[in-house]
Amino acid sequence: MSEPFQTAVVTGAGRGFGRAVAAALVAAGTDVVGIARDEPELRAVGDELGARFTPLAADATDEALAQDVIRTRRPSLLVLNAGVAAHMAPVHEQTWETFSRNWEVDTRHVFTWVRAALREPLAPGSVVLAMSSGAVLVGSPLSGGYASAKAAIRYLRGYAAEESERAGLGIRFHALLPTLTPFGGVGAVGVAGYAARQGVDRDTFVKALEPVLTPEQVAKAVMDIAQDPGAGPEYQVDGAGSRPVD
């Protein structure tokens, strides 16, 4: 296992997975720059985590922001977790705008930060961990372009890892694929949508997901992967733990 990271950037740090990851990193002695659009949520995280957490209310898809943060903060870990809740409707009830919203935020922000990490570049030994989704393995017929947007993140990880190797940059790129969970805004929307589709109440649907994935389990998976130089490229994580994607 490697030494704790000195500085990390976590996008989508105001709630859910991002907040849990930021908390785990701070507890390990890492200074964290937490990025999200909701300033009050970020302030609340800062009040909880203390001086090692720097809130930055901003749009994580902003290319200038990514370049500036990498250049000035010199992070050795990027956790690219930002995303929006999918518009829950079958494909024929979607518009292109609702269908593509996860492409415009989830995928676009990963592209933005991966590009900046390679172009700056990050220091050798740095780690970039992008949040994909277990939906890419099983589909998600009620969430428009969500599954395909998350699948594109897996491709971006692979492309970036290849470019890092070709250029001898020594940057590791990983993807994490969490399964559906009611925790956090994105998961809560998905659970509500699929419960309604099945004609059951939320609690009944959630019980069928047991053991339910928690943000703390996601944070542990992030820490384990990031701190292990021998970690594989992609991991699925659910309530039973994490395992490499075949």
Side-chain angles (χ1 to χ4, degrees):
M1 303 291 282
S2 63
E3 294 297 319
F5 297 94
Q6 289 189 344
T7 303
V9 172
V10 179
T11 64
R15 65 175 76 174
F17 295 164
R19 184 171 185 155
V21 170
L25 285 165
V26 167
T30 298
D31 293 327
V32 176
V33 179
I35 299 173
R37 295 183 182 184
D38 192 313
E39 187 171 2
E41 282 188 345
L42 281 176
R43 284 203 304 267
V45 178
D47 291 342
E48 175 189 342
L49 300 185
R52 284 195 178 277
F53 181 84
T54 301
L56 182 55
D59 181 352
T61 68
D62 186 330
E63 293 184 9
L65 169 76
Q67 293 168 0
D68 181 67
V69 169
I70 288 176
R71 187 168 298 153
T72 60
R73 304 283 183 164
R74 303 309 305 169
S76 51
L77 172 64
L78 304 181
V79 181
L80 305 179
N81 168 73
V84 294
H87 178 72
M88 301 299 291
V91 65
H92 63 289
E93 295 178 8
Q94 300 270 353
T95 65
W96 177 248
E97 286 71 26
T98 62
F99 185 89
S100 63
R101 65 167 51 171
N102 296 102
W103 282 89
E104 292 296 334
V105 178
D106 304 42
T107 312
R108 182 175 179 177
H109 110 279
V110 171
F111 168 81
T112 296
W113 286 86
V114 162
R115 181 173 182 267
L118 291 169
R119 289 172 66 90
E120 184 56 28
L122 294 178
S126 296
V127 178
V128 179
L129 197 154
M131 204 67 68
S132 179
S133 170
V136 307
L137 303 177
V138 296
S140 185
L142 271 191
S143 62
Y146 178 82
S148 58
K150 293 297 191 180
I153 289 172
R154 296 179 71 192
Y155 283 112
L156 283 169
R157 183 219 62 79
Y159 301 158
E162 182 178 354
E163 294 307 319
S164 174
E165 184 175 358
R166 288 180 68 244
L169 297 179
I171 305 170
R172 290 196 282 122
F173 290 87
H174 302 275
L176 193 63
L177 285 67
T179 55
L180 181 62
T181 174
F183 295 106
V186 173
V189 170
V191 164
Y194 280 103
R197 182 181 177 92
Q198 294 181 11
V200 299
D201 61 54
R202 176 190 177 279
D203 290 345
T204 299
F205 184 86
V206 170
K207 186 171 181 59
L209 299 177
E210 293 180 348
V212 177
L213 176 65
T214 67
E216 290 71 28
Q217 287 175 305
V218 173
K220 181 180 184 306
V222 168
M223 297 293 288
D224 289 347
I225 296 165
Q227 294 177 328
D228 181 2
E234 298 181 343
Y235 289 81
Q236 186 175 13
V237 58
D238 56 24
S242 61
R243 56 194 176 278
V245 176
D246 294 332

